[in-house]
Amino acid sequence: MIALINSRVSKTISLLLILVLFCPAASGKIIYVDDDATTGANDGTSWENAYVYLQDALTDANSAEKPVEIWMAQGIYKPDQGEIQATGDREATFQLINGVTLEGGYAGVGSVDPNARDIELYKTVLSGDLNGDDVKIADPCDLPDEPTRGDNSYHVVTSNKTDANTILDGLAITCGNANGSEPHNYGGGLYNLQSNLTLLNCNFHRNTATFPGGAMYSSGGLTLLDSCLFECNHAS
């Protein structure tokens, strides 16, 4: 009897090994973004043909079957840039999508290995400094009154009722200025409403808000933070 059971167990393990070895793993779509990819087709299908603007990649991801990973090369990406965006629009924001991961820190176009990933060496920045003219401020208490920030995005990133399969990984989020009327007075870096959001290895710096949440405002849901850094943000 013991020999019969051992035989069945052995056959079951062998069958599982065959399934693991020969059945392809389910994998989602990868969309590439690189602000230096200026000579390709810019359809997001490879590093050479990467989207130049993150907003265009998000539009693509929104209509694609999930899960989707958006791989972002080093560079600075602003929410008012993209095919359907209005330049200088302070209400423009990177709207997160269920089942979509934004993953920064890739070397990208022009590198020996564009897939090389190092979030410190290849910094990927989501910036609300729409005009690119922000004066650096040492004391965060001075940020709200700095005139060069008056035209910045209200919220660099927005999440609305997304689930835990929505992930930000390896990104710097900076220069949001939530100084408008409600709800544009909360969450300069990230405005998060009723979302179960996952943030990994993200840095929030030099974001401000008139009311709570200079770096991040989160109301409802469950936000998971792992190895994230908050520095030089300000809120009243």
Side-chain angles (χ1 to χ4, degrees):
M1 182 64 178
I2 294 176
L4 179 59
I5 292 173
N6 287 339
S7 176
R8 288 176 177 172
V9 171
S10 177
K11 290 178 180 178
T12 301
I13 292 173
S14 298
L15 179 58
L16 289 173
L17 287 173
I18 290 172
L19 291 173
V20 169
L21 290 172
F22 292 100
C23 291
S27 59
K29 178 178 181 179
I30 296 175
I31 299 174
Y32 299 85
V33 182
D34 191 330
D35 61 356
D36 288 328
T38 57
T39 60
N42 300 134
D43 58 9
T45 55
S46 66
W47 286 120
E48 293 76 11
N49 297 311
Y51 287 112
V52 174
Y53 303 122
L54 175 56
Q55 290 286 26
D56 295 334
L58 287 169
T59 299
D60 186 349
N62 192 44
S63 59
E65 183 178 353
K66 309 303 183 290
V68 173
E69 293 184 8
I70 298 178
W71 289 10
M72 303 177 61
Q74 57 186 320
I76 299 176
Y77 303 89
K78 301 180 181 182
D80 68 334
Q81 296 174 333
E83 186 174 344
I84 62 174
Q85 304 303 313
T87 302
D89 179 10
R90 296 192 67 196
E91 294 188 19
T93 184
F94 292 120
Q95 181 70 54
L96 302 184
I97 304 166
N98 275 337
V100 177
T101 296
L102 301 186
E103 194 170 280
Y106 286 96
V109 173
S111 301
V112 175
D113 179 9
N115 289 321
R117 186 167 189 248
D118 185 322
I119 63 173
E120 294 299 328
L121 183 60
Y122 307 120
K123 291 186 181 296
T124 305
V125 181
L126 308 185
S127 175
D129 181 10
L130 304 184
N131 283 345
D133 60 354
D134 278 14
V135 173
K136 290 186 178 181
I137 297 296
D139 186 345
C141 292
D142 295 331
L143 287 172
D145 298 323
E146 170 51 51
T148 60
R149 303 177 56 83
D151 48 19
N152 288 19
S153 295
Y154 292 123
H155 319 290
V156 180
V157 179
T158 299
S159 181
N160 189 357
K161 298 181 179 179
T162 55
D163 59 28
N165 294 316
T166 307
I167 301 170
L168 295 179
D169 185 358
L171 300 171
I173 299 172
T174 185
C175 299
N177 184 20
N179 67 343
S181 56
E182 194 171 354
H184 298 316
N185 50 2
Y186 296 86
L190 169 62
Y191 181 78
N192 182 11
L193 185 64
Q194 298 178 18
S195 299
N196 296 329
L197 182 64
T198 302
L199 303 177
L200 309 173
N201 308 299
C202 289
N203 295 342
F204 291 80
H205 58 278
R206 294 188 177 90
N207 300 285
T208 61
T210 304
F211 286 104
M216 178 178 70
Y217 173 80
S218 187
S219 176
L222 177 64
T223 303
L224 172 65
L225 302 172
D226 187 349
S227 302
C228 293
L229 176 67
F230 295 80
E231 58 181 353
C232 203
N233 300 284
H234 180 275
S236 301

